């Protein structure tokens, strides 16, 4: 977390944050029809036959949209550890901690965003498996943005499970919405990529520190490509 904070701060020029207070109505993102955000009734999750990780991620991202994406420090400021643990324990027990607006209002955006990152990082199998690590590094090193989009699309279609592709699609669309608020939250696609590489891509166990250091920039470009071109990539 500290490394992420330092890296993001290094990219910024100490811009003064606007003291912007957004109403929940302004941040509804067409969620009015989804008053109850439930594991049993979460948008198109059941229709698409999604597994539990996809539904959990969808529930967390919808709850964050409900509270608003313009918060300065989103995905950078740590949430309440006790509430994060409690929230994730409830999800893993098959409960529905974010079923209603009242449930969502028990948490702040930093607790929900921390829970999202932590959930992704602690999945048994991350959405982009370690077996694709070197291919992803190669894609990120490609000089042409269009080439990166095409190659990433082909790789995901061939080697990533359908449920993981749906998770990545929903997450990518959500992060694109977060980046659209970067004038207030300071989280553009480059900064989001810094934060989400560890959450989405697990390195092989035999990777050396030097390998990881060299791969880091390429992997960030992969995640940034996913966010910016999510509808073309998936």
């Amino acid at each position: 977390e500290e490394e992420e904070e330092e890296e993001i701060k290094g990219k910024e020029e100490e811009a003064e944050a606007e003291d912007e207070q957004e109403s929940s109505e302004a941040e509804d993102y067409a969620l009015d029809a989804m008053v109850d955000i439930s594991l049993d009734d979460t948008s198109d999750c059941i229709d698409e036959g999604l597994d539990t990780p996809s539904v959990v991620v969808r529930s967390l991202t919808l709850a964050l949209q409900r509270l608003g994406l313009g918060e300065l420090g989103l995905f950078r400021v740590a949430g309440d550890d006790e509430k994060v643990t409690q929230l994730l324990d409830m999800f893993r027990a098959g409960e529905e901690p974010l079923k209603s607006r009242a449930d969502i209002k028990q948490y702040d955006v930093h607790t929900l965003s921390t829970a999202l990152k932590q959930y992704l990082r602690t999945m048994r199998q991350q959405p982009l498996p370690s077996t694709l690590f070197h291919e992803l590094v190669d894609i990120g090193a490609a000089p042409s943005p269009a080439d990166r989009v095409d190659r990433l699309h082909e790789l995901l279609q061939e080697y990533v499970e359908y449920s993981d592709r749906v998770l990545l699609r929903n997450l990518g669309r959500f992060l694109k919405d977060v980046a659209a608020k970067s004038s207030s939250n300071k989280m553009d696609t480059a900064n989001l990529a810094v934060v989400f590489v560890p959450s989405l891509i697990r390195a092989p166990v035999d990777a050396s520190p030097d390998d990881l250091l060299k791969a880091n920039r390429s992997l960030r470009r992969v995640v940034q490509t996913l966010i910016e071109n999510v509808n073309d990539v998936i």
Side-chain angles (χ1 to χ4, degrees), residues 190-209:
N191 284 340
L192 288 168
V194 170
V195 170
F196 276 90
V197 162
S199 297
L200 296 176
I201 305 170
R202 185 168 293 158
V205 293
D206 59 350
S208 69

Side-chain angles (χ1 to χ4, degrees), residues 13 49 70 74 80 83 89 92 116 120 134 172 177-178 200 215:
E13 298 200 8
L74 185 63
D80 183 302
K83 286 189 174 183
D89 284 348
R92 289 165 180 148
L116 176 60
L120 289 168
H134 297 294
D177 285 344
V178 173
L200 296 176

Side-chain angles (χ1 to χ4, degrees), residues 30-198:
L31 294 177
D32 287 334
M34 301 183 63
V35 174
D36 289 330
I37 299 172
S38 160
L39 292 180
D40 294 321
D41 184 22
T42 306
S43 188
D44 54 1
C45 290
I46 299 304
D47 291 340
E48 296 188 5
L50 304 189
D51 58 357
T52 298
S54 297
V55 178
V56 172
V57 169
R58 186 73 169 145
S59 294
L60 286 165
T61 56
L62 286 170
L64 280 163
Q65 286 176 315
R66 180 69 71 186
L67 292 178
L69 303 180
E71 180 80 16
L72 181 66
L74 185 63
F75 291 113
R76 293 167 54 183
V77 174
D80 183 302
D81 285 340
E82 185 175 345
K83 286 189 174 183
V84 169
T85 300
Q86 179 189 54
L87 184 61
L88 294 182
D89 284 348
M90 285 191 286
F91 273 126
R92 289 165 180 148
E95 298 178 30
E96 306 174 28
L98 302 175
K99 185 177 180 180
S100 67
R101 286 175 184 254
D103 292 334
I104 293 169
K105 288 181 179 179
Q106 295 182 52
Y107 304 95
D108 60 45
V109 293
H110 303 302
T111 294
L112 291 175
S113 63
T114 299
L116 176 60
K117 290 189 299 180
Q118 189 169 316
Y119 183 80
L120 289 168
R121 290 186 190 188
T122 56
M123 287 175 61
R124 187 179 297 115
Q125 172 73 46
Q126 285 178 297
L128 296 172
S130 59
T131 52
L132 300 180
F133 182 83
H134 297 294
E135 288 86 348
L136 291 168
V137 171
D138 287 344
I139 289 172
S144 165
D147 187 33
R148 291 198 295 271
V149 170
D150 291 342
R151 290 175 60 185
L152 186 56
H153 170 76
E154 291 173 6
L155 186 74
L156 297 186
Q157 286 294 117
E158 187 167 356
Y159 295 107
V160 175
E161 296 287 341
Y162 171 76
S163 59
D164 287 331
R165 294 202 307 273
V166 174
L167 185 155
L168 288 168
R169 182 195 66 193
N170 288 335
L171 181 65
R173 288 174 176 174
F174 164 73
L175 294 177
K176 193 169 185 177
D177 285 344
V178 173
K181 294 287 185 180
S182 62
S183 61
S184 54
N185 63 32
K186 307 304 177 187
M187 295 301 288
D188 58 14
T189 56
N191 284 340
L192 288 168
V194 170
V195 170
F196 276 90
V197 162

